[in-house]
């Protein structure tokens, strides 16, 4: 039987598809990082970790967490970075470019730590499509105020952190995550945060908290005033009079929620779940139970609570030497591949 060759148009479509896949693959280590999952309960699932904040060194912490999720639990992970187009460098203060957001199409979970981003329309559309799908995400530290859209005619202007649009007050952070930027409740760079385990009214038996017994973070407590009553508070935090784990608690200051879960729905999209936390600087992740909180939350958000035990390994893969948080303290001249 004679087999006819494919029509020219079909052949061109196949060629374009192959070249597109090759092109995306070729960018690994240039505009994003990918780690193929080893064996484990997360095998076959894709996690996208988005860095993009000026201060808390998410460009360091997100690759570290990606390697833990991939190496220990089998997730395929992709890490995205704020890239300065002119140099190709990772520049956290560059607000207008996080390439690779098309990977959200295949994502089962997003972990993000971004701040005041004003991204181009095509990149924002990838984010919108993901959140409308109702898929889960984890929003860390400054992700309570992730967007600052300058174009008031943009359909995403209402996502801005200080939005006054009716029904969108406080923008994406307040309406979707549960809170927007309010203030530093603790004194920045002078006080830390102690997670309160005993003596507070919280959902202490939640699967996300299995094995989470000791979190002290050098980042200060954020003010929380708009968290809806429907949010389920997992951890409250107290300011510490100093930036060491031994620093005493400051009981003259009120406690604040520092980790919670809630449902969200974006403009008629499907209902999803989010873990919000005001913790999350790169040096916070030196604490084992901080890493455990995120690993546990990943499984819970993916409807896999049975996997969570207090013995799950959250050991760091390779070396991790995070930089102290601060504006303009990021390592200069770094390429994506330098974070591998």
């Amino acid at each position: 039987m004679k087999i006819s060759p494919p029509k020219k148009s079909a052949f061109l479509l196949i060629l374009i598809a192959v070249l597109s896949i090759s092109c995306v693959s070729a960018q690994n280590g240039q505009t994003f990082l990918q780690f193929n999952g080893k064996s484990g309960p997360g095998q076959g699932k894709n996690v996208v970790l988005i860095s993009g904040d000026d201060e808390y060194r998410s460009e360091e912490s997100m690759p570290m967490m990606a390697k833990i999720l991939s190496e220990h639990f089998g997730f395929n992970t992709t890490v995205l970075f704020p890239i300065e187009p002119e140099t190709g460098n990772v520049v956290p203060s560059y607000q207008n470019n996080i390439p690779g957001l098309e990977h959200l199409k295949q994502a089962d979970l997003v972990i993000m730590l971004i701040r005041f981003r004003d991204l181009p329309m095509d990149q924002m559309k990838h984010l919108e499509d993901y959140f409308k799908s109702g898929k889960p995400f984890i929003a860390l530290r400054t992700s309570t105020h992730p967007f600052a859209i300058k174009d008031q005619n943009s359909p995403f202007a209402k996502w801005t952190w200080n939005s006054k649009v009716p029904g969108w007050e406080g923008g994406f952070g307040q309406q979707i995550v549960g809170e927007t930027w309010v203030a530093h409740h603790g004194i920045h760079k002078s006080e830390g945060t102690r997670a309160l385990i005993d003596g507070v009214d919280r959902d202490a038996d939640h699967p996300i908290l299995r094995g989470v017994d000791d979190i002290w973070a050098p980042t200060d407590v954020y003010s929380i005033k708009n968290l809806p009553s429907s949010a389920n508070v997992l951890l409250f935090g107290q300011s510490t009079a100093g930036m060491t784990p031994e620093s005493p608690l400051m009981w003259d200051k009120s406690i604040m929620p520092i980790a919670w879960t809630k449902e969200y729905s974006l403009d008629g999209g499907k209902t999803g779940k989010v873990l919000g936390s005001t913790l999350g600087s790169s040096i916070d992740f030196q604490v084992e139970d901080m890493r455990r909180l995120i690993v546990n939350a990943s499984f819970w958000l993916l409807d896999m609570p049975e996997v969570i035990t207090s013995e799950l390994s959250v050991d760091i893969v390779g070396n991790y030497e995070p930089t102290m948080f601060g504006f303009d303290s990021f390592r200069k001249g770094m390429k994506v591949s330098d974070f591998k």
Side-chain angles (χ1 to χ4, degrees):
M1 180 178 66
K2 184 178 180 181
I3 301 176
S4 301
K7 293 182 178 179
K8 186 176 181 180
S9 58
F11 176 78
L12 287 174
L13 288 173
I14 294 170
L15 180 61
I16 290 170
V18 170
L19 290 175
S20 297
I21 293 170
S22 299
C23 181
V24 169
S25 178
Q27 297 303 307
N28 188 11
Q30 297 178 35
T31 58
F32 60 85
L33 289 178
Q34 283 187 320
F35 303 96
N36 293 324
K38 302 291 182 68
S39 61
Q43 198 166 34
K45 293 188 180 296
N46 302 308
V47 181
V48 174
L49 301 94
I50 309 173
S51 68
D53 79 285
D54 309 56
E55 187 174 9
Y56 293 103
R57 306 284 68 86
S58 58
E59 71 278 5
E60 298 176 352
S61 59
M62 293 298 100
M64 182 274 294
M65 286 304 304
K67 286 186 277 189
I68 287 176
L69 291 168
S70 177
E71 186 79 19
H72 296 326
F73 304 108
F75 291 102
N76 298 316
T77 57
T78 301
V79 188
L80 309 182
F81 299 85
I83 304 292
E84 183 180 60
E86 295 79 9
T87 62
N89 292 343
V90 175
V91 180
S93 57
Y94 192 88
Q95 306 280 359
N96 313 115
N97 187 40
I98 301 180
L101 286 165
E102 63 272 10
H103 289 285
L104 294 179
K105 292 178 182 178
Q106 286 78 45
D108 299 291
L109 172 69
V110 162
I111 302 173
M112 68 183 200
L113 202 168
I114 62 177
R115 175 187 181 274
F116 291 161
R117 300 294 106 169
D118 185 9
L119 301 175
M121 194 74 70
D122 60 329
Q123 294 184 12
M124 291 297 293
K125 188 64 171 61
H126 289 306
L127 289 162
E128 180 186 46
D129 289 346
Y130 181 85
F131 294 121
K132 275 194 170 182
S133 74
K135 291 181 180 179
F137 72 107
I138 295 172
L140 297 171
R141 192 61 175 174
T142 57
S143 292
T144 58
H145 43 292
F147 302 108
I149 309 299
K150 293 183 176 63
D151 181 4
Q152 293 305 300
N153 294 317
S154 168
F156 301 106
K158 64 184 181 182
W159 289 30
T160 296
W161 69 276
N162 59 352
S163 172
K164 301 296 191 296
V165 175
W168 272 88
E169 294 85 357
F172 184 94
Q174 185 173 322
Q175 298 301 320
I176 305 301
V177 177
E179 183 57 287
T180 185
W181 167 245
V182 178
H184 288 282
H185 184 63
I187 299 177
H188 192 42
K189 290 192 173 183
S190 295
E191 298 174 2
T193 298
R194 169 65 66 185
L196 300 177
I197 302 300
D198 300 316
V200 289
D201 183 17
R202 64 190 182 95
D203 190 359
D205 295 325
H206 198 285
I208 288 177
L209 297 178
R210 290 175 190 162
V212 177
D213 301 315
D214 183 15
I215 294 180
W216 176 83
T219 46
D220 59 289
V221 179
Y222 271 176
S223 295
I224 300 290
K225 71 174 186 179
N226 299 299
L227 193 66
S229 58
S230 59
N232 185 22
V233 178
L234 305 182
L235 290 172
F236 285 94
Q238 182 72 51
S239 295
T240 60
M243 294 182 63
T244 64
E246 298 77 24
S247 300
L249 295 172
M250 301 182 66
W251 289 111
D252 58 328
K253 289 191 175 184
S254 56
I255 65 175
M256 290 285 166
I258 60 171
W260 61 87
T261 62
K262 66 180 287 289
E263 291 187 341
Y264 79 90
S265 179
L266 178 62
D267 293 339
K270 296 180 180 179
T271 299
K273 297 181 293 187
V274 56
L275 171 84
S277 177
T278 56
L279 300 169
S281 80
S282 62
I283 53 178
D284 293 357
F285 281 101
Q286 290 180 302
V287 175
E288 178 178 324
D289 280 2
M290 180 66 204
R291 303 192 298 273
R292 187 175 303 283
L293 181 75
I294 304 309
V295 168
N296 289 357
S298 298
F299 283 116
W300 184 79
L301 289 166
L302 290 167
D303 297 321
M304 302 170 69
E306 71 283 354
V307 173
I308 305 170
T309 72
S310 59
E311 288 79 35
L312 291 180
S313 174
V314 292
D315 292 345
I316 290 171
V317 179
N319 296 322
Y320 183 59
E321 299 177 358
T323 305
M324 175 60 182
F325 55 83
F327 290 103
D328 203 40
S329 68
F330 65 92
R331 291 178 284 170
K332 310 303 190 292
M334 297 288 282
K335 301 294 186 183
V336 167
S337 58
D338 294 324
F339 293 95
K340 196 163 187 177

